[in-house]
Amino acid sequence: QVQLVESGGGLVQAGGSLGLSCAASGRTLSTYGMGWFRQAPGKEREFVAAISWGGSRTYYADSVKDRFTISRDNAKNTVYLQMSSLKPEDTAAYYCAADRSGLGSSQEFRYAYWGQGTQVTVSS
């Protein structure tokens, strides 16, 4: 069993930066791929970024490339999403998830465990 808790969301001005954290309990995340997804009001959840179990491979949605950075610290059982140059369209609830395959994936159905989300609101 894995429990994931996101933190770090809040209100930020357009063009600003914000860092999110996802802390795990229940077991180590060292063998899991990790992903970040987001869901805006009235829209489907979409892929944001993913990282492999060892952290050597990362993947990003085109909409966040060169602005967001995913990273992980397996010793702390934590995954991070650093967001820069934020836009109003980045406003959403952000969720972290764990992928048992260890690879990380843009496909939502690959993830077995999900956090409850943290809200990010970007004002114009």
Side-chain angles (χ1 to χ4, degrees):
Q1 298 286 345
V2 174
Q3 293 81 45
L4 304 174
V5 179
E6 303 94 337
S7 62
L11 177 64
V12 63
Q13 298 274 354
S17 299
L18 198 64
L20 306 181
S21 298
C22 175
S25 62
R27 64 154 293 168
T28 180
L29 294 180
S30 62
T31 61
Y32 287 75
M34 297 296 298
W36 286 95
F37 294 77
R38 67 188 183 187
Q39 187 170 26
K43 297 183 178 180
E44 295 185 1
R45 188 155 52 194
E46 65 176 353
F47 170 74
V48 176
I51 188 167
S52 62
W53 68 270
S56 62
R57 300 180 188 273
T58 58
Y59 312 89
Y60 297 94
D62 288 342
S63 60
V64 306
K65 285 181 179 178
D66 302 318
R67 298 191 299 119
F68 291 10
T69 301
I70 188 171
S71 61
R72 67 191 300 162
D73 186 339
N74 288 340
K76 296 181 178 179
N77 227 21
T78 302
V79 63
Y80 306 94
L81 184 69
Q82 181 62 46
M83 306 181 293
S84 300
S85 301
L86 283 163
K87 306 173 181 179
E89 50 263 45
D90 295 318
T91 295
Y94 283 71
Y95 301 85
C96 68
D99 166 22
R100 280 165 37 88
S101 77
L103 299 178
S105 174
S106 64
Q107 298 176 300
E108 182 175 338
F109 70 86
R110 302 291 186 187
Y111 291 85
Y113 304 102
W114 294 81
Q116 294 188 21
T118 185
Q119 180 67 37
V120 173
T121 301
V122 184
S123 62
S124 60

